[in-house]
Structure formats: structure tokens, C-alpha cells
Amino acid sequence: MTLERRQVTSERSCGSIALNRASASLARCSCLSSSARRSPACWQERGAIAVICGGALYVAGMFVVTVGFNVQLNDQLAAADTATGAATPVCARYLTEWTFWNHVRTIASTAAVLFIVAIATRP
């Protein structure tokens, strides 16, 4: 086996190990299932807090921000009459506010990924 082939094989196996660990952590602590809600042991497992925080951060940072702010701004921009000068203030507001909320989504998504990485790479 060539060095390049060994490196690819090694990278694939490391990726599989990380995915398997993350999947096992999520499966063991699926706190949304009815049996897990009754069992306090699920909440005490190592990595449970990271799963909960990462999931909550993703939902709040991506879904809520998108639906609550970005879609509203997109609708306002689409409704603005671009033929007249009335759309200029809407466009200016759109650029500043949409960009801000897009940065919030980016930071929240990155933080959620970091929680997942922390779970996957734990010993």
C-alpha cells in the first residue's frame, strides 16, 4: 500500500471514529425520547450538557433568527417599490440589519459545531 493510500485510509478511519463517537453520545442521551425524560441518568451522562447546549444554540441561532429576522427583512425588501425612491431607506435598513443577523447565525452555527466537535473528540 502506498503512503498516499495509507494516509487516505487513516483519515477515513479517524473520521469514522469521530462520527461514531458523536452518534453514540447522541443516541445514548436522546433526551427527547419518552424513556429518557423519565430517566435522570441520561442528563448525568458525560457530554449531555454539550448536546443540550449545542442543540439549543443551533435552534435559537439558526432557526429563530432566520424566521424571526432574516425572512421578515427579505419580505420587506421584496415589497419595497424599487421604481421610486421609497425603497432607498428600506435597502439601507436591510443591508445593516440583515448583515447583523446573518453574523449572529454564523456565530451560533460555529458554536454549535464546536459543541459537536467537543463531544466527538472526547476521550
Side-chain angles (χ1 to χ4, degrees):
M1 188 182 293
T2 66
L3 177 62
E4 184 178 300
R5 185 176 290 267
R6 275 187 270 165
Q7 184 177 7
V8 169
T9 304
S10 174
E11 288 172 359
R12 285 183 184 159
S13 65
C14 288
S16 296
I17 290 169
L19 275 174
N20 289 339
R21 283 184 184 171
S23 297
S25 293
L26 291 171
R28 275 196 320 265
C29 192
S30 176
C31 295
L32 298 176
S33 71
S34 60
S35 62
R37 282 189 295 236
R38 290 184 293 235
S39 171
C42 175
W43 298 98
Q44 296 170 356
E45 279 193 40
R46 191 169 173 214
I49 299 298
V51 170
I52 295 164
C53 291
L57 188 59
Y58 183 78
V59 168
M62 281 299 294
F63 185 72
V64 172
V65 168
T66 299
V67 171
F69 298 101
N70 290 94
V71 171
Q72 303 296 327
L73 291 167
N74 289 343
D75 291 343
Q76 290 172 7
L77 185 64
D81 185 13
T82 56
T84 65
T88 305
V90 174
C91 289
R93 180 174 169 253
Y94 175 85
L95 287 174
T96 56
E97 288 187 26
W98 193 93
T99 302
F100 171 78
W101 288 112
N102 193 53
H103 282 80
V104 170
R105 290 189 316 175
T106 303
I107 292 167
S109 297
T110 303
V113 167
L114 293 176
F115 277 107
I116 292 169
V117 169
I119 294 166
T121 59
R122 69 184 173 100

